Amino acid sequence: MKNWSSVRKIFQISLTLVSMNAINKRLEIQKERAWDIEKDLPWFLGCDLRCDLVPIDENFALLPGITARERLVLGQGIGILAAKAISEHERVLNLLKDKCWARTLGEAEASQDLYEMGEQFFTEEAKHSQAYARYVEKFAHAHHVSADELNEYLPKYDENSFITSIYKLDAKLGGKALWWTVAATEEESIELYKSLNRQKDQIDPLFYTLNRLHFEEEVRHSSYAYDILKLKPRSFFAGLLQRSDFLVSRVLQAAWLFKQLRRFRGISALGKHDPFFAELGAILDKMNSQPILRQMVCLYKHTEHISLMLNPQKHKKIKKALQLNQVLNLGDL
């Protein structure tokens, strides 16, 4: 028995060393291939208003007979909505760093490698938030409004809102709801780029480059959220909480998304500055005249970014993580 115990201990140490070497290698690659927000993005191009941001299907069900101009305006509207949503998700993550990351790693007695990987992860997320916020600013100026004026109608996280308070409380009790949201947001960003890449010749070059660089970095560090989710719970209660955390994350994200879509409907108020916003408002009014269930079904089927936000468990990596962590999931909305 003593010999078997020694062999098992050696095996466990070997697995730990292999894992640490893998993390170190990933960290080296991330630092080596990191892009620079000033040098690697062609900000001098500005926004090409003749190009799509998110292409809209010719058979978009909420707008029968949609014209080419309406598709362009709506695609740019949804694109800037997605850009600001990404910026806000990655900004608020840094605001919750101490409460929902440092606390979690400390209680799990995580390795120093996981801390170092996390610091790089948060640095990259802050950079992504700044890059998307700058694109939103460029878009605003191209349409003769200030970034502050445009942001009044775009997604926003409040640091002390009910939603962020729930994330903090969940982490304090030993949960990881935020990290399910992070995992889903990472996959949403990756899928957004894939959809743009299929029609890259139609996409604004600056917006395309931003999403390509973002995609490359997200692919390199997207596994970090899953690393956190795999950490063992500190207690039996924390283990029970973590089994329901995915549902908590879904409810919070759906509530946040619906609130942001309501904000977005008021964007036609900017029409006095640029007719683009009046056109966008008119299109949104047409969509909102449809029954709410029809609106949700159409957004689910025809806007991949919103669809994945509502049903992240459809993504194969999320689905695999749910099974691996034995997490509760009540299916699709």
Side-chain angles (χ1 to χ4, degrees):
M1 290 295 291
K2 281 186 177 181
N3 288 339
W4 171 243
S5 178
S6 298
V7 168
R8 186 170 60 181
K9 190 172 183 179
I10 291 171
F11 180 69
Q12 289 173 338
I13 292 172
S14 298
L15 285 179
T16 301
L17 290 173
V18 169
S19 177
M20 288 172 62
N21 286 335
I23 290 175
N24 285 332
K25 184 62 177 176
R26 280 165 47 197
L27 182 56
E28 287 175 13
I29 291 173
Q30 282 177 220
K31 288 182 176 180
E32 181 181 302
R33 299 183 182 177
W35 47 270
D36 186 277
I37 194 171
E38 300 296 342
K39 297 177 182 177
D40 296 319
L41 278 156
W43 297 113
F44 65 91
L45 292 177
C47 303
D48 189 337
L49 302 182
R50 300 166 299 176
C51 296
D52 285 323
L53 297 188
V54 176
I56 299 297
D57 191 343
E58 291 181 12
N59 300 312
F60 191 60
L62 280 181
L63 294 169
I66 186 172
T67 66
R69 174 62 185 175
E70 287 176 324
R71 291 206 317 273
L72 177 65
V73 170
L74 181 60
Q76 289 182 353
I78 291 177
I80 207 64
L81 185 76
K84 188 58 165 46
I86 292 170
S87 178
E88 284 297 293
H89 273 110
E90 304 199 351
R91 181 184 69 84
V92 79
L93 179 58
N94 272 272
L95 293 178
L96 297 173
K97 180 180 177 183
D98 290 341
K99 296 289 191 339
C100 301
W101 174 72
R103 181 197 293 271
T104 299
L105 264 62
E107 290 171 346
E109 298 182 352
S111 68
Q112 183 61 32
D113 298 296
L114 210 55
Y115 273 100
E116 291 177 9
M117 178 70 83
E119 292 293 354
Q120 180 67 19
F121 174 84
F122 280 99
T123 296
E124 290 171 354
E125 295 293 81
K127 178 180 67 179
H128 300 165
S129 177
Q130 292 166 12
Y132 276 97
R134 187 182 296 189
Y135 185 86
V136 171
E137 183 177 4
K138 291 275 186 184
F139 186 87
H141 291 165
H143 286 290
H144 312 107
V145 296
S146 69
D148 287 343
E149 287 173 317
L150 179 57
N151 283 328
E152 281 294 312
Y153 305 98
L154 297 182
K156 182 181 180 182
Y157 268 107
D158 296 315
E159 185 177 358
N160 298 311
S161 69
F162 174 76
I163 289 177
T164 52
S165 296
I166 293 296
Y167 281 129
K168 292 175 187 177
L169 177 61
D170 176 77
K172 185 176 182 179
L173 296 174
K176 297 175 186 171
L178 178 68
W179 291 96
W180 283 111
T181 299
V182 172
T185 303
E186 303 282 280
E187 304 303 348
E188 290 158 20
S189 299
I190 290 170
E191 294 304 317
L192 174 63
Y193 169 73
K194 289 179 180 178
S195 69
L196 298 183
N197 194 49
R198 289 194 288 269
Q199 302 183 60
K200 61 183 180 182
D201 292 339
Q202 301 175 36
I203 308 301
D204 169 33
L206 176 57
F207 191 68
Y208 177 80
T209 303
L210 170 58
N211 280 278
R212 177 178 58 78
L213 292 175
H214 186 228
F215 163 80
E216 291 171 0
E217 219 148 65
E218 292 292 90
V219 167
R220 287 195 290 270
H221 77 200
S222 64
S223 59
Y224 189 72
Y226 301 106
D227 291 336
I228 302 298
L229 290 169
K230 285 189 291 187
L231 292 173
K232 291 182 179 179
R234 71 187 188 215
S235 66
F236 177 74
F237 174 76
L240 289 178
L241 186 60
Q242 288 179 25
R243 289 200 66 202
S244 62
D245 268 340
F246 178 73
L247 297 180
V248 173
S249 170
R250 281 191 67 189
V251 169
L252 292 178
Q253 278 301 282
W256 184 82
L257 175 61
F258 292 139
K259 181 179 179 180
Q260 306 317 311
L261 289 175
R262 286 198 300 271
R263 281 168 62 94
F264 190 55
R265 290 175 185 174
I267 202 166
S268 59
L270 297 177
K272 59 188 176 185
H273 301 291
D274 192 304
F276 167 84
F277 298 110
E279 290 181 80
L280 179 57
I283 294 169
L284 295 177
D285 286 342
K286 286 184 186 179
M287 292 169 59
N288 292 330
S289 67
Q290 301 282 346
I292 187 65
L293 182 59
R294 181 175 170 79
Q295 291 183 47
M296 294 310 301
V297 169
C298 186
L299 289 173
Y300 178 79
K301 288 183 176 180
H302 295 278
T303 53
E304 295 180 54
H305 185 69
I306 293 175
S307 172
L308 193 54
M309 285 186 75
L310 291 173
N311 287 293
Q313 78 285 349
K314 283 186 161 294
H315 194 281
K316 61 182 180 181
K317 287 181 70 174
I318 300 282
K319 186 183 294 186
K320 182 178 179 180
L322 289 170
Q323 295 169 347
L324 182 65
N325 291 281
Q326 298 181 319
V327 172
L328 295 174
N329 173 30
L330 298 182
D332 298 347
L333 287 178

